[in-house]
Amino acid sequence: MPEIVSNHKTRTTALCGMRRALRIGIKLAADILLPPQCAFCGKDLNTRSEILLCPDCRKTLAADGWQWCMRGSTKTPDALENGRCVHCQRVSLNYSAVLPLGQYRGELRDAVLRMKKRHHDHLSTTMGRLYVLHRGHQILGLKPDIAVPVPMHWKRQLTRGTNSAEILAMEIARNLGIPAVPRLLTRCRNTLPQKDLQPKERIGNVRGAFRLTTGYAIQGARVLLIDDILTTGATCRETAGVLRRAGARSVIVAVLARAEGQGR
């Protein structure tokens, strides 16, 4: 009996080794026949990695060295005090911090706009991984319990054919090891696009447009609210307000881009 068990283990080990070698062989063949490409510019990549971006696109899509207000004011602050600008110290917000990847301009602007179109879900996934690479340690330092995307109305998602904020949120949550709850919030009214409205109109446009989905309890939870872009903060302020009134302890906003002048 001991010899039979030993032979079985040997055969099992050999079989596992053959399967592993086969998987490696298939992957190498796929890389030769269909080399991985940069999800943004389409350039062939020398190696396959979790973040399918070429070195140049990694640098331009996540430029370091710029300052932002930790509460996401509409203008990039020249002077910060404890991470907050003078404007945000005078404004009442429902979220405690905003962590953007970069400014809404150049290549990052192009990436955000492309993510909103169908057939570009792979770019949304890649941008989620890039975000975690650059902002993940800051997010984890704030100890969020769950991750939630800013919801899109079902009519708009049907028309657009994709939901970049939800894809982004799921990927960020997966890479951070945080539970994602994509249906926690519901957009109960199909609002006008924020980019077409003046700042004061944006606040009224989203007022009462979100609600907590029946059956969820978030008392005491630290919520990571995720969207693709933030400008005036009207949308995130409204959704964060719903979360706080439902009992959330705090709301942290994660966005790819922070814009000025027009948008949410």
Side-chain angles (χ1 to χ4, degrees), residues 2-198:
E3 291 184 358
I4 295 175
V5 173
S6 177
N7 289 339
H8 176 70
K9 286 183 178 180
T10 301
R11 288 194 298 270
T12 301
T13 302
L15 183 59
C16 290
M18 292 173 61
R19 288 174 176 171
R20 187 161 49 248
L22 181 60
R23 286 196 299 268
I24 294 173
I26 292 173
K27 181 180 179 299
L28 290 174
D31 287 347
I32 293 172
L33 297 174
L34 298 170
Q37 294 181 324
C38 176
F40 184 69
C41 71
K43 184 187 299 182
D44 288 345
L45 302 177
N46 295 327
T47 58
R48 185 180 294 273
S49 66
E50 284 292 310
I51 303 176
L52 292 177
L53 292 171
C54 67
D56 290 338
C57 288
R58 286 195 185 205
K59 292 179 181 178
T60 56
L61 290 171
D64 290 321
W66 66 283
Q67 287 187 320
W68 70 88
C69 175
M70 286 293 288
R71 299 189 79 199
S73 68
T74 56
K75 293 185 181 296
T76 304
D78 296 322
L80 296 173
E81 182 178 346
N82 297 323
R84 297 181 181 182
C85 67
V86 176
H87 172 77
C88 276
Q89 292 176 5
R90 298 194 303 260
V91 177
S92 176
L93 300 174
N94 294 316
Y95 46 84
S96 57
V98 176
L99 292 171
L101 179 63
Q103 291 176 292
Y104 185 65
R105 64 184 186 187
E107 286 81 0
L108 184 56
R109 176 182 180 276
D110 293 342
V112 170
L113 292 175
R114 199 182 301 177
M115 287 164 54
K116 295 178 181 294
K117 300 177 181 178
R118 64 180 72 231
H119 309 309
H120 288 284
D121 291 354
H122 66 293
L123 179 58
S124 299
T125 299
T126 297
M127 293 304 296
R129 294 171 183 173
L130 184 68
Y131 181 91
V132 171
L133 178 66
H134 287 266
R135 301 285 178 258
H137 65 287
Q138 294 170 288
I139 294 289
L140 290 176
L142 296 172
K143 300 180 180 180
D145 299 302
I146 56 174
V148 180
V150 171
M152 178 184 292
H153 194 271
W154 66 268
K155 288 184 178 179
R156 186 170 300 176
Q157 182 167 347
L158 188 65
T159 302
R160 188 176 289 181
T162 188
N163 186 339
S164 57
E166 183 173 317
I167 297 171
L168 189 68
M170 298 298 288
E171 193 62 25
I172 290 174
R174 186 183 71 83
N175 281 269
L176 290 177
I178 302 170
V181 192
R183 301 293 176 264
L184 180 67
L185 291 171
T186 300
R187 200 173 196 126
C188 50
R189 180 160 51 82
N190 193 16
T191 56
L192 296 172
Q194 292 285 75
K195 63 182 180 63
D196 299 331
L197 304 174
Q198 296 299 314

